[in-house]
Structure formats: structure tokens, C-alpha cells
Amino acid sequence: MQMIRKTLKVSFYYSFVPSVKLEGEVRAAPNEGHADQVHRSELLDDGEWTFRVEGTIIDGNKNAACQSTAKKFSHFFRKAILDLDDQLYPGSNPIEWSSFRSGDDSDGFSITRPGKKGFQTHRLRLQLLRNQSPERFALSPDLFNAISPYLTPNCGPDDTFVKADISFALWQYIKEKDLMKTDDCRVISHDEVLQRVFECHEQPIHAIMGSLQTKLTPVGPTVIDFTLQ
């Protein structure tokens, strides 16, 4: 079976709508018996800005948007958290978007907020939490070098894997290298490669899963900081 890799392209858009002006004429205070007409533009607000996050599936072979997949942005991310600029919005709570609350599959989301007089630029921090079930982990470099031939797909050290696949790959390595002690099959005798991974010469089988956990890093959120203007 041939594996086809596709890419999720995430795009960010920012727009600002200037303030609405109320055009009108008002009468100035009388000056030497004359009532002069003056023109005034009154700001009704300080404008508003919109920030949009949008995802598109890209076919890795054609480098173009893929129209055949039904999976959208909300399939890959379960939550987004946006932190606004404290100077512009002091004391504001983080804004959360959830794929579970949004209902139908969506290509992205957007937020709109009023501007503030005197601020031409402001900051925004976006955290994207991937929709992973079961949870996925990144491997330590030494562990990846040891078991990567037994992992599917074998793509690169920046990939992440579920724990079941990691455990299976480790046991495949142990079996192929014949690392079980001949006089006690409950103990794994580490070769030089696993000694670098676990920093010991041997381990009982029941302890190796606990040691493996310390070499795995849960996938955290993708954090992006923006300066908007």
C-alpha cells in the first residue's frame, strides 16, 4: 500500500476597518455678534480589526490545493487560544476557539475586536493545539536513532508517534538484536545503542516501559507571536 503525504497549509489574515466619521456642522460661540459656521468630524469609534486563521490541504505531489479530501482545519486542531495585547486590552481573558463547540467542520475561524485610539500596532499570541487521539510523542534523538527503522512511517526525527507504535518498535529492536539474557529472559541486556538511550547496562522487562516514558515528549501547542498593524 502506497502512502500519500499531504500538507496542511495554515494561513493568517489581518484586516483593519478605519473609524467611522460623523460629518456635520455645528455652530460656534458667538463672536462680536456673529454666529460662524464651523465644520467638525466626530469619531464614532476607533475602528475594528479582524484576525483570521485558515487551513488548506495541499497535495504534496502537485503542490496545489487538494479538493478530494473531506478533512478540514477543524479535523487537525481541537483548540486555539488567542492572547490579546495587555496594553490594548488590559485584564482581558484569553479567547478560545474549540472544534467541538464550532459544530460542523470548518476551514478556520476569525475574531473581530474594536481598536483603541493611540495604538497603531498591537501584539497577539496564538496557540494551536492539535487534535490527537491517541496522544502522540516526540522521541529523544538517541531513541529515534535506535528504533526509527521499525517505525511506520519512517519520515524523520521531527515526526511524532503514538506510544503503541513506539513500544512495538522497541520490542522489535530488542528481538532482532537478541538482547534478552539467556539465563533470565525477564532481563534486557542493553547493547551500546540502548545504553546511550537508557544510561544503564541492563533492565528488567517490567521497568523498561517506565524508562521509555522519560524519553518521550508529549506534543505541545504550536505557539506563534504576531505584531499586527
Side-chain angles (χ1 to χ4, degrees):
M1 182 177 65
Q2 183 181 6
M3 179 173 294
I4 300 176
R5 167 166 282 205
K6 299 183 185 296
T7 301
L8 174 65
K9 176 184 177 183
V10 181
S11 303
F12 309 98
Y13 304 94
Y14 174 73
S15 61
F16 178 76
V17 179
S19 303
V20 178
K21 293 183 178 181
L22 177 64
E23 303 291 347
E25 292 184 345
V26 296
R27 188 174 298 276
N31 181 18
E32 296 181 354
H34 297 88
D36 297 329
Q37 295 288 335
V38 297
H39 188 270
R40 185 181 71 178
S41 295
E42 182 180 353
L43 294 180
L44 294 182
D45 56 45
D46 296 303
E48 65 179 21
W49 56 268
T50 298
F51 181 79
R52 176 163 179 79
V53 181
E54 191 172 290
T56 306
I57 304 297
I58 301 297
D59 190 323
N61 297 324
K62 299 179 181 178
N63 195 28
C66 179
Q67 303 295 332
S68 60
T69 180
K71 296 179 180 179
K72 297 187 176 183
F73 175 87
S74 56
H75 173 84
F76 298 95
F77 295 99
R78 61 182 176 86
K79 182 183 291 187
I81 302 174
L82 298 100
D83 295 299
L84 304 182
D85 195 322
D86 284 338
Q87 291 186 332
L88 193 61
Y89 307 99
S92 63
N93 294 321
I95 301 169
E96 289 192 7
W97 169 87
S98 171
S99 60
F100 303 107
R101 291 200 300 264
S102 63
D104 297 335
D105 287 344
S106 63
D107 292 323
F109 65 93
S110 61
I111 64 167
T112 299
R113 290 293 183 273
K116 188 173 182 180
K117 190 177 296 184
F119 286 85
Q120 295 183 344
T121 64
H122 59 101
R123 298 177 180 177
L124 182 146
R125 167 167 288 187
L126 171 66
Q127 300 182 63
L128 293 172
L129 286 78
R130 294 174 60 181
N131 188 12
Q132 298 176 337
S133 181
E135 189 176 10
R136 301 183 71 87
F137 298 86
L139 281 59
S140 68
D142 287 336
L143 178 61
F144 179 83
N145 291 335
I147 67 174
S148 58
Y150 309 94
L151 289 168
T152 303
N154 181 15
C155 299
D158 293 332
D159 283 328
T160 58
F161 307 90
V162 299
K163 189 179 293 185
D165 290 342
I166 298 170
S167 301
F168 179 79
L170 178 60
W171 285 117
Q172 290 296 106
Y173 179 90
I174 291 172
K175 287 167 56 180
E176 184 173 297
K177 303 297 182 180
D178 194 20
L179 299 182
M180 287 187 177
K181 295 188 70 172
T182 55
D183 58 340
D184 188 351
C185 62
R186 296 172 299 176
V187 177
I188 305 299
S189 180
H190 294 161
D191 59 5
E192 291 184 2
V193 174
L194 290 190
Q195 286 179 29
R196 288 195 296 270
V197 174
F198 297 113
E199 301 175 349
C200 61
H201 292 282
E202 61 181 35
Q203 277 183 296
I205 289 179
H206 70 268
I208 199 167
M209 286 297 104
S211 299
L212 177 64
Q213 183 65 38
T214 65
K215 307 302 176 182
L216 308 180
T217 303
V219 177
T222 300
V223 181
I224 309 174
D225 291 311
F226 297 90
T227 299
L228 307 175
Q229 58 183 5

